[in-house]
Amino acid sequence: MRFTLPRDIYYGKHTLEELKNLKGKKAIVVTGGGSMKRFGFLQKVEDNLHAAGIETRLFEGVEPDPSVETVMKGAAAMREFEPDWIVAIGGGSPIDAAKAMWAFYEYPETKFEDLITPFKFPTLRTRAKFLAIPSTSGTATEVTAFSVITDYQKGIKYPLADFNITPDVAIVDPDLAETMPAKLTAYTGMDALTHAIEAYVSTLHSPFTDPLAIQAIQMIFDYLPDSYQGDSKAREEMHYAQCLAGMAFSNALLGIVHSMAHKTGAAYKNGHIVHGCANAMYLPKVIKYNAKNAEAARRYAAIARAVGLTGTTEELVNGLCAKIREYNAKLNIPTCIREYENGMVPEDEFKAKLHDVAALAISDACTGSNPRIPTQEEMEKLLNACYYDLDVDF
């Protein structure tokens, strides 16, 4: 067994200032679509790095659900600049992209296909260390061994996994989370809840991950509704809660909510199903499916008790599902794929792709640590339940 976190996690308001203490010569700063620049955080990062005597270069424009092509462009920019620090700031996308760029910077001959197999990365830190600064309260990629990259030509999201890509330093500054719009706050918050719940029932959970997962779950149920409404204190607590959830799932791994979200995310022609929203829609269905496993049911019941519910194991499992659905309603998250973005995924396309999407979900890296391993037929039934909002009893 192994438990791995960044060596240093700086948290609290104004901890961006810690960049002034960084030791190094050159840093490439990887960021996304412009919000960090608009709100002045990118300038603060550059100013603080300059105060540390570090030469900087920007790599901007990482898209949501970053592509293989963007990763390769960023790696080429790194090889040209030769930084000894990679600093990624923004949501999960620029941080995930920078993690993958890191591998190709240090190992230019590596092929993307070489990295798809979990925990088969080459040894990193031969040329650079990695510092992550999250602006959203959900992915926790600043403390995890994961990166999700999309191959748009194949329409597949690949979760890359290796303890090598766990950052060296994370700066969890809630000032950045203040800028999230409400919809993003909802989706990222439910992503974090899914991380914590899946980590707690994972077959790889441990005495090291359980307390982190339960603490995160309690905090998210306490603070997410107020964070959605823009409350500053709740935003701060959610920024810490998602980080705790990340520490848990980076070491305990995840389950089939994420397998399904990864493989439905980029599968349909009219657009993406946003990851956090997919997790929120699928989570109650998967809980019902997994609860047929007695050990999983017992652990879901423990979660339910931790957030104030009472009853038998079955009542606690049902109560937890009801509570999640109640939160989805509060956060204006649809109940099923059919309702997502005014019918963005047509029924005929969903049915036509069901078999292949189900097969891909089963083969996803997150499936192996799920309490139940679904058959092809069961995964198709689960996806159907998530499309039409059907009961799960199989």
Side-chain angles (χ1 to χ4, degrees):
M1 301 291 283
R2 179 174 174 176
F3 185 82
T4 301
L5 296 175
R7 180 178 175 186
D8 295 303
I9 300 171
Y10 297 99
Y11 65 95
K13 287 181 172 289
H14 316 310
T15 41
L16 271 187
E17 297 289 315
E18 289 294 336
L19 288 169
K20 292 177 180 176
N21 302 318
L22 205 63
K23 301 288 189 287
K25 294 178 181 177
K26 289 182 173 184
I28 191 164
V29 180
V30 179
T31 191
S35 64
M36 291 297 95
K37 182 178 277 186
R38 274 199 314 281
F39 293 113
F41 294 117
L42 194 56
Q43 190 63 53
K44 283 184 183 176
V45 166
E46 290 188 273
D47 291 347
N48 290 338
L49 288 169
H50 290 152
I54 296 174
E55 182 187 350
T56 63
R57 181 174 293 183
L58 295 182
F59 183 87
E60 300 179 82
V62 175
E63 72 272 46
D65 300 307
S67 65
V68 175
E69 289 77 13
T70 295
V71 167
M72 296 307 181
K73 282 181 193 167
M78 289 176 187
R79 288 195 293 272
E80 182 190 334
F81 183 55
E82 299 186 333
D84 51 358
W85 277 100
I86 298 165
V87 176
I89 178 172
S93 296
I95 299 174
D96 277 10
K99 286 178 175 180
M101 292 170 191
W102 188 14
F104 293 108
Y105 167 44
E106 299 205 0
Y107 295 91
E109 303 308 313
T110 298
K111 301 280 190 292
F112 186 74
E113 292 72 26
D114 300 336
L115 305 182
I116 293 169
T117 305
F119 302 100
K120 293 294 183 185
F121 267 65
T123 300
L124 297 179
R125 295 168 181 80
T126 63
R127 303 180 75 176
K129 291 183 178 178
F130 194 100
L131 186 151
I133 309 166
S135 65
T136 59
S137 302
T139 69
T141 188
E142 74 275 6
V143 294
T144 75
F146 299 98
S147 162
V148 180
I149 305 298
T150 302
D151 185 329
Y152 285 92
Q153 292 182 335
K154 295 180 180 174
I156 297 175
K157 282 188 175 185
Y158 290 105
L160 309 179
D162 198 285
F163 288 117
N164 266 291
I165 57 172
T166 303
D168 298 283
V169 181
I171 295 179
V172 186
D173 187 334
D175 287 344
L176 280 71
E178 288 282 344
T179 63
M180 283 194 300
K183 193 173 191 177
L184 184 60
T185 302
Y187 290 172
T188 55
M190 292 306 291
D191 188 22
L193 181 65
T194 307
H195 290 155
I197 290 176
E198 290 210 295
Y200 193 76
V201 301
S202 160
T203 56
L204 295 174
H205 74 84
S206 75
F208 293 86
T209 60
D210 284 352
L212 293 164
I214 284 289
Q215 178 70 18
I217 291 163
Q218 290 173 324
M219 290 174 73
I220 293 165
F221 276 126
D222 283 347
Y223 292 109
L224 181 52
D226 287 344
S227 179
Y228 179 64
Q229 297 298 330
D231 179 83
S232 181
K233 175 63 176 171
R235 287 275 170 108
E236 180 176 358
E237 295 295 332
M238 277 298 302
H239 211 44
Y240 305 150
Q242 64 87 32
C243 187
L244 293 171
M247 294 180 202
F249 91 77
S250 186
N251 291 279
L253 306 189
L254 292 163
I256 58 171
V257 179
H258 272 77
S259 302
M260 293 158 65
H262 290 149
K263 297 319 188 229
T264 55
Y268 306 108
K269 65 178 185 294
N270 289 341
H272 275 59
I273 302 176
V274 175
H275 179 72
C277 184
N279 281 338
M281 293 189 294
Y282 307 165
L283 181 58
K285 309 296 185 193
V286 170
I287 289 174
K288 285 285 185 72
Y289 171 79
N290 282 343
K292 294 289 183 184
N293 173 297
E295 171 64 6
R298 187 182 70 75
R299 294 186 71 78
Y300 287 128
I303 291 170
R305 279 192 291 271
V307 296
L309 301 178
T310 57
T312 64
T313 296
E314 184 179 359
E315 288 167 344
L316 286 164
V317 170
N318 289 335
L320 180 61
C321 292
K323 191 174 181 75
I324 292 164
R325 289 177 70 98
E326 174 196 327
Y327 271 59
N328 284 346
K330 282 182 186 176
L331 301 170
N332 291 306
I333 291 172
T335 60
C336 60
I337 299 170
R338 185 165 59 171
E339 293 178 6
Y340 180 75
E341 293 291 340
N342 300 312
M344 187 195 84
V345 181
E347 187 177 36
D348 57 351
E349 186 186 10
F350 174 80
K351 285 180 174 178
K353 292 180 175 177
L354 178 59
H355 180 275
D356 289 350
V357 169
L360 287 167
I362 291 169
S363 67
D364 187 89
C366 294
T367 299
S369 45
N370 195 67
R372 284 180 77 187
I373 304 299
T375 63
Q376 175 74 23
E377 182 187 6
E378 287 170 340
M379 182 57 82
E380 289 184 22
K381 281 185 178 178
L382 264 176
L383 287 164
N384 256 318
C386 292
Y387 187 83
Y388 297 104
D389 193 20
L390 303 174
D391 286 336
V392 173
D393 188 23
F394 52 87

